[in-house]
Amino acid sequence: MSQPRNGTAGDVEEIHWPSLVAAISSISAVGIAIGLGLPLLSIILEKRGIPSTLIGLNTAMAGVAAMIAAPITTKLAHEFGVASTMLWAVVIAALSALGFYYAENFWLWFPLRFAFHGTTTTLFILSEFWINAASPPSKRGFVLGIYATVLSIGFAAGPLLFSILGSDGIMPFLVGAIAILLAAIPIFIARHESPILDEKPELHFMRYVFLVPTATAAVFIFGAVEAGGLSLFPIYAIRANFTETQAALLLTVMGVGNVIFQIPVGLLSDKISDKRPLLAGMAFMGLIGSLMLPVLSHSWIMMALVLLFWGGCVAGLYTVGLSHLGSRLTGSDLAAANAAFVFCYAVGTVAGPQVIGAAIDVAGNNGFAWSIACFFGLYAILAGIRLLFLRKRA
Protein backbone atom coordinates (compact mmCIF):
# COMPACT_ATOMS: atom_id res chain seq x y z
CA MET A 1 0.00 0.00 0.00
CA SER A 2 1.17 3.58 -0.72
CA GLN A 3 1.73 5.05 2.70
CA PRO A 4 1.00 8.68 3.45
CA ARG A 5 4.19 10.61 3.26
CA ASN A 6 5.45 14.14 3.43
CA GLY A 7 7.06 15.99 0.58
CA THR A 8 6.67 14.26 -2.74
CA ALA A 9 4.09 11.89 -4.07
CA GLY A 10 4.31 10.08 -7.35
CA ASP A 11 7.14 10.31 -9.90
CA VAL A 12 5.82 12.98 -12.28
CA GLU A 13 8.44 15.72 -12.66
CA GLU A 14 6.80 18.02 -15.23
CA ILE A 15 3.20 19.01 -15.90
CA HIS A 16 1.73 16.48 -18.32
CA TRP A 17 -0.49 18.82 -20.34
CA PRO A 18 -2.29 16.31 -22.63
CA SER A 19 -3.61 14.40 -19.60
CA LEU A 20 -4.48 17.56 -17.74
CA VAL A 21 -6.28 19.13 -20.69
CA ALA A 22 -8.29 15.92 -21.10
CA ALA A 23 -9.29 15.72 -17.44
CA ILE A 24 -9.95 19.43 -16.92
CA SER A 25 -11.84 20.10 -20.16
CA SER A 26 -13.98 16.98 -19.81
CA ILE A 27 -15.13 17.74 -16.29
CA SER A 28 -15.70 21.40 -17.17
CA ALA A 29 -18.09 20.36 -19.95
CA VAL A 30 -19.95 18.32 -17.35
CA GLY A 31 -19.93 21.37 -15.05
CA ILE A 32 -21.69 23.40 -17.74
CA ALA A 33 -24.36 20.69 -18.06
CA ILE A 34 -24.90 20.54 -14.29
CA GLY A 35 -25.06 24.35 -14.02
CA LEU A 36 -27.66 24.35 -16.79
CA GLY A 37 -29.59 21.34 -15.50
CA LEU A 38 -30.14 22.24 -11.84
CA PRO A 39 -32.22 25.41 -12.39
CA LEU A 40 -33.82 23.95 -15.54
CA LEU A 41 -35.20 20.87 -13.78
CA SER A 42 -36.48 22.83 -10.78
CA ILE A 43 -38.30 25.36 -12.99
CA ILE A 44 -39.93 22.61 -15.07
CA LEU A 45 -41.14 20.75 -11.99
CA GLU A 46 -42.52 24.03 -10.61
CA LYS A 47 -44.39 24.61 -13.88
CA ARG A 48 -45.86 21.11 -13.64
CA GLY A 49 -47.27 21.92 -10.22
CA ILE A 50 -45.04 19.53 -8.26
CA PRO A 51 -44.96 20.50 -4.54
CA SER A 52 -41.76 22.12 -3.28
CA THR A 53 -41.20 19.27 -0.83
CA LEU A 54 -41.14 16.72 -3.68
CA ILE A 55 -38.92 18.99 -5.77
CA GLY A 56 -36.50 19.14 -2.85
CA LEU A 57 -36.68 15.38 -2.40
CA ASN A 58 -35.94 14.81 -6.08
CA THR A 59 -33.02 17.27 -5.95
CA ALA A 60 -31.64 15.49 -2.87
CA MET A 61 -31.16 12.39 -5.02
CA ALA A 62 -27.99 14.10 -6.27
CA GLY A 63 -26.32 13.72 -2.89
CA VAL A 64 -27.64 10.19 -2.39
CA ALA A 65 -26.38 9.13 -5.84
CA ALA A 66 -22.97 10.65 -5.14
CA MET A 67 -22.64 8.84 -1.82
CA ILE A 68 -23.51 5.51 -3.43
CA ALA A 69 -21.37 6.02 -6.55
CA ALA A 70 -18.24 7.12 -4.68
CA PRO A 71 -17.33 3.75 -3.09
CA ILE A 72 -17.75 1.75 -6.34
CA THR A 73 -16.01 4.15 -8.74
CA THR A 74 -12.49 2.97 -7.89
CA LYS A 75 -13.53 -0.67 -8.31
CA LEU A 76 -14.96 0.08 -11.76
CA ALA A 77 -11.81 1.97 -12.78
CA HIS A 78 -9.63 -0.91 -11.59
CA GLU A 79 -11.73 -3.41 -13.52
CA PHE A 80 -12.28 -1.50 -16.77
CA GLY A 81 -9.65 1.25 -16.76
CA VAL A 82 -9.91 4.94 -15.87
CA ALA A 83 -10.58 6.26 -19.39
CA SER A 84 -13.07 3.50 -20.30
CA THR A 85 -15.03 4.04 -17.09
CA MET A 86 -15.12 7.78 -17.75
CA LEU A 87 -16.32 7.30 -21.33
CA TRP A 88 -19.17 5.03 -20.23
CA ALA A 89 -20.07 7.55 -17.51
CA VAL A 90 -20.22 10.31 -20.16
CA VAL A 91 -22.60 8.28 -22.32
CA ILE A 92 -24.94 7.38 -19.43
CA ALA A 93 -24.91 10.96 -18.10
CA ALA A 94 -25.77 12.37 -21.55
CA LEU A 95 -28.60 9.87 -22.09
CA SER A 96 -30.08 10.54 -18.66
CA ALA A 97 -29.84 14.32 -19.22
CA LEU A 98 -31.86 13.96 -22.42
CA GLY A 99 -34.19 11.46 -20.72
CA PHE A 100 -35.63 14.17 -18.45
CA TYR A 101 -37.31 15.74 -21.48
CA TYR A 102 -39.06 12.52 -22.49
CA ALA A 103 -40.01 11.37 -18.95
CA GLU A 104 -43.48 12.80 -18.38
CA ASN A 105 -44.01 10.78 -15.20
CA PHE A 106 -42.46 12.66 -12.25
CA TRP A 107 -41.40 9.46 -10.48
CA LEU A 108 -39.20 8.52 -13.45
CA TRP A 109 -37.10 11.56 -12.61
CA PHE A 110 -35.78 9.78 -9.50
CA PRO A 111 -33.88 7.02 -11.38
CA LEU A 112 -32.84 9.62 -13.97
CA ARG A 113 -31.43 11.87 -11.21
CA PHE A 114 -29.68 8.87 -9.73
CA ALA A 115 -28.11 7.92 -13.09
CA PHE A 116 -27.13 11.48 -13.95
CA HIS A 117 -25.55 12.43 -10.64
CA GLY A 118 -24.07 8.98 -10.05
CA THR A 119 -22.20 9.08 -13.35
CA THR A 120 -21.13 12.72 -12.99
CA THR A 121 -19.77 11.80 -9.53
CA THR A 122 -17.72 9.07 -11.22
CA LEU A 123 -16.40 11.65 -13.68
CA PHE A 124 -15.44 14.03 -10.88
CA ILE A 125 -13.61 11.35 -8.90
CA LEU A 126 -11.64 9.98 -11.83
CA SER A 127 -10.89 13.41 -13.32
CA GLU A 128 -9.49 14.64 -10.03
CA PHE A 129 -7.48 11.45 -9.58
CA TRP A 130 -6.14 11.85 -13.13
CA ILE A 131 -5.20 15.49 -12.47
CA ASN A 132 -3.49 14.60 -9.19
CA ALA A 133 -1.60 11.72 -10.82
CA ALA A 134 -0.44 13.85 -13.78
CA SER A 135 0.71 16.81 -11.66
CA PRO A 136 4.26 17.18 -10.29
CA PRO A 137 4.20 17.67 -6.50
CA SER A 138 5.86 21.09 -6.79
CA LYS A 139 3.10 22.39 -9.09
CA ARG A 140 0.08 20.39 -7.92
CA GLY A 141 -1.61 23.34 -6.22
CA PHE A 142 -1.18 25.50 -9.33
CA VAL A 143 -2.70 22.80 -11.56
CA LEU A 144 -5.60 22.21 -9.17
CA GLY A 145 -6.12 25.97 -9.04
CA ILE A 146 -6.50 25.96 -12.83
CA TYR A 147 -8.91 23.03 -12.53
CA ALA A 148 -11.04 24.76 -9.88
CA THR A 149 -11.08 28.01 -11.86
CA VAL A 150 -12.13 26.40 -15.14
CA LEU A 151 -14.73 24.28 -13.36
CA SER A 152 -16.16 27.35 -11.62
CA ILE A 153 -16.43 29.11 -14.98
CA GLY A 154 -18.19 26.02 -16.35
CA PHE A 155 -20.70 26.03 -13.48
CA ALA A 156 -21.29 29.76 -14.02
CA ALA A 157 -21.79 29.27 -17.77
CA GLY A 158 -24.62 26.79 -17.13
CA PRO A 159 -27.08 29.29 -15.60
CA LEU A 160 -26.11 31.79 -18.32
CA LEU A 161 -27.08 29.22 -20.95
CA PHE A 162 -30.34 28.63 -19.08
CA SER A 163 -31.13 32.35 -19.18
CA ILE A 164 -30.62 32.26 -22.97
CA LEU A 165 -32.35 28.94 -23.78
CA GLY A 166 -35.22 29.07 -21.29
CA SER A 167 -37.09 25.97 -20.12
CA ASP A 168 -39.36 25.30 -23.09
CA GLY A 169 -38.87 22.52 -25.61
CA ILE A 170 -36.06 20.03 -26.10
CA MET A 171 -33.30 22.56 -26.83
CA PRO A 172 -31.96 23.09 -23.25
CA PHE A 173 -31.88 19.31 -22.68
CA LEU A 174 -30.19 18.76 -26.04
CA VAL A 175 -27.55 21.41 -25.31
CA GLY A 176 -26.87 19.84 -21.91
CA ALA A 177 -26.52 16.34 -23.43
CA ILE A 178 -24.21 17.63 -26.18
CA ALA A 179 -22.05 19.46 -23.61
CA ILE A 180 -21.60 16.19 -21.72
CA LEU A 181 -20.86 14.21 -24.89
CA LEU A 182 -18.18 16.75 -25.83
CA ALA A 183 -16.40 15.65 -22.65
CA ALA A 184 -15.75 12.29 -24.32
CA ILE A 185 -13.51 13.83 -27.02
CA PRO A 186 -10.51 14.83 -24.84
CA ILE A 187 -10.89 11.66 -22.76
CA PHE A 188 -10.81 9.48 -25.89
CA ILE A 189 -7.81 11.35 -27.34
CA ALA A 190 -5.79 10.93 -24.13
CA ARG A 191 -7.17 7.48 -23.24
CA HIS A 192 -3.75 5.81 -23.49
CA GLU A 193 -2.28 8.35 -21.09
CA SER A 194 -4.82 7.87 -18.32
CA PRO A 195 -3.41 6.55 -15.01
CA ILE A 196 -3.42 2.77 -14.58
CA LEU A 197 -4.67 1.14 -11.39
CA ASP A 198 -2.68 -2.08 -11.13
CA GLU A 199 -3.61 -2.82 -7.54
CA LYS A 200 -6.82 -2.73 -5.61
CA PRO A 201 -6.86 -0.46 -2.54
CA GLU A 202 -5.92 -2.46 0.55
CA LEU A 203 -8.19 -0.58 2.94
CA HIS A 204 -11.96 -0.52 3.18
CA PHE A 205 -13.48 2.54 1.52
CA MET A 206 -14.51 4.22 4.79
CA ARG A 207 -10.95 3.91 6.14
CA TYR A 208 -9.86 6.41 3.49
CA VAL A 209 -12.28 8.95 4.94
CA PHE A 210 -10.19 8.90 8.13
CA LEU A 211 -6.77 8.24 6.59
CA VAL A 212 -6.32 11.90 5.60
CA PRO A 213 -8.92 13.56 7.85
CA THR A 214 -7.72 17.13 7.31
CA ALA A 215 -8.53 16.83 3.58
CA THR A 216 -11.81 14.92 3.87
CA ALA A 217 -13.11 17.18 6.67
CA ALA A 218 -12.18 20.25 4.57
CA VAL A 219 -14.29 19.08 1.64
CA PHE A 220 -17.18 18.17 3.96
CA ILE A 221 -17.15 21.76 5.27
CA PHE A 222 -16.87 23.08 1.73
CA GLY A 223 -19.86 21.01 0.59
CA ALA A 224 -21.96 22.03 3.60
CA VAL A 225 -21.20 25.74 3.33
CA GLU A 226 -21.43 25.84 -0.47
CA ALA A 227 -24.75 23.98 -0.74
CA GLY A 228 -26.35 25.48 2.36
CA GLY A 229 -24.93 28.94 1.83
CA LEU A 230 -25.84 29.27 -1.84
CA SER A 231 -29.35 27.87 -1.43
CA LEU A 232 -30.26 29.89 1.67
CA PHE A 233 -28.25 33.10 1.24
CA PRO A 234 -30.95 34.76 -0.91
CA ILE A 235 -33.43 34.21 1.93
CA TYR A 236 -30.94 35.62 4.47
CA ALA A 237 -30.17 38.65 2.28
CA ILE A 238 -33.82 39.50 1.58
CA ARG A 239 -34.71 39.20 5.29
CA ALA A 240 -31.77 41.54 5.95
CA ASN A 241 -33.59 44.11 3.78
CA PHE A 242 -31.63 43.70 0.57
CA THR A 243 -33.60 43.51 -2.68
CA GLU A 244 -33.69 40.35 -4.80
CA THR A 245 -31.36 41.99 -7.31
CA GLN A 246 -28.90 42.97 -4.58
CA ALA A 247 -29.02 39.45 -3.14
CA ALA A 248 -28.31 37.95 -6.58
CA LEU A 249 -25.41 40.35 -7.11
CA LEU A 250 -23.93 39.39 -3.73
CA LEU A 251 -24.01 35.73 -4.81
CA THR A 252 -22.31 36.77 -8.05
CA VAL A 253 -19.57 38.56 -6.09
CA MET A 254 -19.06 35.41 -4.02
CA GLY A 255 -18.74 33.42 -7.24
CA VAL A 256 -16.18 35.89 -8.58
CA GLY A 257 -14.13 35.42 -5.41
CA ASN A 258 -14.38 31.67 -5.97
CA VAL A 259 -12.92 32.06 -9.47
CA ILE A 260 -10.16 34.65 -9.00
CA PHE A 261 -8.58 33.23 -5.85
CA GLN A 262 -8.15 29.58 -6.90
CA ILE A 263 -4.89 29.88 -8.83
CA PRO A 264 -3.23 32.22 -6.25
CA VAL A 265 -4.29 29.87 -3.43
CA GLY A 266 -2.97 26.90 -5.42
CA LEU A 267 0.37 28.64 -6.01
CA LEU A 268 0.60 29.45 -2.30
CA SER A 269 -0.06 25.82 -1.38
CA ASP A 270 2.81 24.75 -3.68
CA LYS A 271 5.22 26.76 -1.54
CA ILE A 272 4.13 24.90 1.61
CA SER A 273 5.06 21.26 2.08
CA ASP A 274 2.43 20.76 4.80
CA LYS A 275 -0.94 22.10 3.58
CA ARG A 276 -2.68 21.78 6.96
CA PRO A 277 -1.74 25.22 8.36
CA LEU A 278 -3.07 26.81 5.15
CA LEU A 279 -6.33 24.86 5.45
CA ALA A 280 -6.67 25.88 9.11
CA GLY A 281 -5.97 29.51 8.17
CA MET A 282 -8.65 29.56 5.48
CA ALA A 283 -11.16 28.00 7.88
CA PHE A 284 -10.32 30.69 10.44
CA MET A 285 -10.84 33.41 7.80
CA GLY A 286 -14.14 31.75 6.88
CA LEU A 287 -15.12 31.82 10.57
CA ILE A 288 -14.32 35.53 10.89
CA GLY A 289 -16.12 36.34 7.63
CA SER A 290 -19.22 34.45 8.75
CA LEU A 291 -19.37 36.29 12.06
CA MET A 292 -19.02 39.63 10.25
CA LEU A 293 -22.11 39.09 8.08
CA PRO A 294 -24.72 40.22 10.68
CA VAL A 295 -22.56 43.25 11.57
CA LEU A 296 -22.28 44.36 7.94
CA SER A 297 -25.86 43.62 6.88
CA HIS A 298 -26.60 47.38 6.72
CA SER A 299 -24.03 47.96 3.95
CA TRP A 300 -24.20 46.22 0.56
CA ILE A 301 -20.66 47.33 -0.38
CA MET A 302 -19.07 46.07 2.84
CA MET A 303 -21.03 42.80 2.56
CA ALA A 304 -19.85 42.38 -1.03
CA LEU A 305 -16.22 43.01 -0.05
CA VAL A 306 -16.35 40.38 2.69
CA LEU A 307 -18.10 37.86 0.42
CA LEU A 308 -15.48 38.37 -2.30
CA PHE A 309 -12.71 37.10 0.01
CA TRP A 310 -15.04 34.69 1.81
CA GLY A 311 -15.92 32.98 -1.50
CA GLY A 312 -12.23 32.47 -2.17
CA CYS A 313 -11.67 30.97 1.29
CA VAL A 314 -14.60 28.58 0.98
CA ALA A 315 -13.55 27.29 -2.45
CA GLY A 316 -9.91 27.20 -1.35
CA LEU A 317 -10.77 24.46 1.13
CA TYR A 318 -11.61 22.22 -1.83
CA THR A 319 -8.54 23.10 -3.91
CA VAL A 320 -5.99 22.86 -1.10
CA GLY A 321 -7.72 19.82 0.43
CA LEU A 322 -7.40 18.02 -2.90
CA SER A 323 -3.75 19.09 -3.17
CA HIS A 324 -3.10 17.81 0.36
CA LEU A 325 -4.64 14.48 -0.62
CA GLY A 326 -2.33 14.20 -3.63
CA SER A 327 0.72 15.01 -1.53
CA ARG A 328 -0.02 12.20 0.91
CA LEU A 329 -1.10 9.26 -1.27
CA THR A 330 -0.34 7.68 -4.65
CA GLY A 331 -1.71 5.03 -7.02
CA SER A 332 -4.79 3.05 -6.11
CA ASP A 333 -4.79 4.57 -2.63
CA LEU A 334 -5.02 8.04 -4.14
CA ALA A 335 -7.92 6.93 -6.37
CA ALA A 336 -9.76 5.43 -3.38
CA ALA A 337 -9.04 8.50 -1.25
CA ASN A 338 -10.34 10.72 -4.08
CA ALA A 339 -13.57 8.72 -3.97
CA ALA A 340 -13.73 9.22 -0.19
CA PHE A 341 -13.07 12.93 -0.77
CA VAL A 342 -16.05 13.29 -3.12
CA PHE A 343 -18.16 11.13 -0.78
CA CYS A 344 -17.49 13.58 2.07
CA TYR A 345 -18.37 16.47 -0.22
CA ALA A 346 -21.70 14.78 -1.02
CA VAL A 347 -22.43 14.25 2.67
CA GLY A 348 -21.70 17.93 3.24
CA THR A 349 -24.11 19.02 0.50
CA VAL A 350 -26.87 17.01 2.18
CA ALA A 351 -26.07 18.11 5.75
CA GLY A 352 -25.36 21.80 5.12
CA PRO A 353 -28.79 22.98 3.93
CA GLN A 354 -30.51 21.01 6.70
CA VAL A 355 -28.34 22.44 9.50
CA ILE A 356 -28.32 26.02 8.20
CA GLY A 357 -32.07 25.98 7.47
CA ALA A 358 -32.82 24.65 10.96
CA ALA A 359 -30.54 27.28 12.50
CA ILE A 360 -32.49 30.06 10.76
CA ASP A 361 -35.77 28.60 12.06
CA VAL A 362 -34.44 28.34 15.62
CA ALA A 363 -32.26 31.45 15.97
CA GLY A 364 -33.78 33.82 13.42
CA ASN A 365 -32.08 35.28 10.37
CA ASN A 366 -28.66 35.52 12.04
CA GLY A 367 -28.77 31.75 12.50
CA PHE A 368 -27.56 31.63 8.89
CA ALA A 369 -24.23 33.26 9.74
CA TRP A 370 -23.86 31.57 13.12
CA SER A 371 -24.38 28.05 11.76
CA ILE A 372 -21.83 28.61 8.97
CA ALA A 373 -19.43 30.00 11.56
CA CYS A 374 -19.90 26.80 13.56
CA PHE A 375 -18.96 24.70 10.52
CA PHE A 376 -15.77 26.71 9.99
CA GLY A 377 -15.01 26.79 13.72
CA LEU A 378 -15.29 23.01 14.08
CA TYR A 379 -12.91 22.52 11.16
CA ALA A 380 -10.43 25.07 12.53
CA ILE A 381 -10.44 23.19 15.86
CA LEU A 382 -9.94 19.82 14.11
CA ALA A 383 -7.08 21.15 11.98
CA GLY A 384 -5.47 22.79 15.02
CA ILE A 385 -5.67 19.59 17.07
CA ARG A 386 -4.18 17.57 14.19
CA LEU A 387 -1.27 20.00 13.85
CA LEU A 388 -0.63 20.03 17.61
CA PHE A 389 -0.82 16.22 17.82
CA LEU A 390 1.54 15.68 14.91
CA ARG A 391 4.09 18.17 16.24
CA LYS A 392 4.08 16.42 19.61
CA ARG A 393 4.69 13.08 17.85
CA ALA A 394 7.58 14.63 15.92
Side-chain angles (χ1 to χ4, degrees):
M1 180 190 130
S2 306
Q3 294 294 332
R5 51 182 180 169
N6 295 318
T8 62
D11 53 7
V12 180
E13 296 180 359
E14 295 295 332
I15 296 176
H16 197 212
W17 288 110
S19 290
L20 293 173
V21 168
I24 292 175
S25 60
S26 64
I27 201 60
S28 298
V30 174
I32 293 172
I34 294 174
L36 167 63
L38 289 178
L40 171 66
L41 298 180
S42 295
I43 290 295
I44 289 175
L45 290 178
E46 176 71 19
K47 284 183 176 180
R48 291 183 182 179
I50 302 297
S52 298
T53 303
L54 288 179
I55 294 175
L57 183 63
N58 186 251
T59 305
M61 285 300 294
V64 174
M67 285 187 278
I68 293 175
I72 65 174
T73 291
T74 309
K75 296 177 182 177
L76 291 172
H78 180 270
E79 188 72 25
F80 302 107
V82 171
S84 296
T85 303
M86 290 178 72
L87 288 170
W88 275 109
V90 164
V91 171
I92 296 171
L95 290 174
S96 58
L98 196 57
F100 285 107
Y101 174 74
Y102 293 101
E104 294 292 332
N105 188 321
F106 167 67
W107 298 105
L108 289 177
W109 281 39
F110 282 87
L112 284 171
R113 284 266 197 188
F114 187 86
F116 180 78
H117 288 285
T119 50
T120 52
T121 296
T122 294
L123 288 168
F124 273 106
I125 291 169
L126 296 182
S127 291
E128 290 173 358
F129 165 59
W130 195 343
I131 292 166
N132 251 326
S135 304
S138 62
K139 298 176 182 176
R140 181 174 284 115
F142 169 65
V143 171
L144 290 171
I146 294 174
Y147 162 71
T149 301
V150 174
L151 183 60
S152 296
I153 293 171
F155 275 122
L160 178 62
L161 276 174
F162 174 67
S163 68
I164 296 169
L165 297 170
S167 60
D168 296 326
I170 194 174
M171 187 54 68
F173 297 93
L174 196 59
V175 169
I178 290 172
I180 297 170
L181 286 174
L182 287 175
I185 297 173
I187 298 171
F188 183 79
I189 291 172
R191 65 192 184 282
H192 298 304
E193 300 182 14
S194 65
I196 298 172
L197 296 176
D198 292 324
E199 301 174 353
K200 290 184 178 180
E202 294 184 12
L203 300 177
H204 185 274
F205 172 79
M206 289 305 297
R207 289 285 301 277
Y208 287 95
V209 172
F210 302 102
L211 189 61
V212 191
T214 311
T216 51
V219 78
F220 168 80
I221 299 299
F222 169 76
V225 172
E226 182 197 44
L230 288 180
S231 60
L232 294 169
F233 181 80
I235 297 173
Y236 169 77
I238 289 170
R239 289 183 181 179
N241 296 319
F242 292 112
T243 66
E244 287 187 12
T245 301
Q246 288 175 322
L249 286 173
L250 286 171
L251 277 179
T252 302
V253 169
M254 198 187 313
V256 170
N258 185 334
V259 171
I260 65 176
F261 282 106
Q262 292 317 295
I263 292 177
V265 166
L267 286 169
L268 178 61
S269 75
D270 285 335
K271 298 182 182 298
I272 305 172
S273 58
D274 189 348
K275 321 295 183 193
R276 286 168 294 206
L278 180 58
L279 286 166
M282 286 190 296
F284 185 72
M285 289 178 66
L287 169 63
I288 298 300
S290 306
L291 293 175
M292 288 177 68
L293 292 182
V295 180
L296 302 175
S297 60
H298 65 282
S299 169
W300 186 93
I301 293 175
M302 292 299 295
M303 181 82 83
L305 188 62
V306 168
L307 289 176
L308 180 71
F309 289 93
W310 194 68
C313 286
V314 172
L317 287 175
Y318 192 98
T319 305
V320 181
L322 195 58
S323 178
H324 178 58
L325 203 71
S327 70
R328 303 287 289 168
L329 298 165
T330 58
S332 59
D333 289 319
L334 176 58
N338 244 123
F341 190 79
V342 174
F343 174 85
C344 290
Y345 168 75
V347 174
T349 61
V350 173
Q354 306 301 316
V355 172
I356 297 171
I360 293 173
D361 287 339
V362 172
N365 203 34
N366 286 339
F368 174 85
W370 295 339
S371 57
I372 291 177
C374 286
F375 276 118
F376 280 120
L378 287 172
Y379 181 76
I381 292 170
L382 169 67
I385 291 173
R386 286 283 297 169
L387 284 170
L388 185 64
F389 175 72
L390 289 168
R391 282 176 183 170
K392 282 185 175 179
R393 285 181 59 186

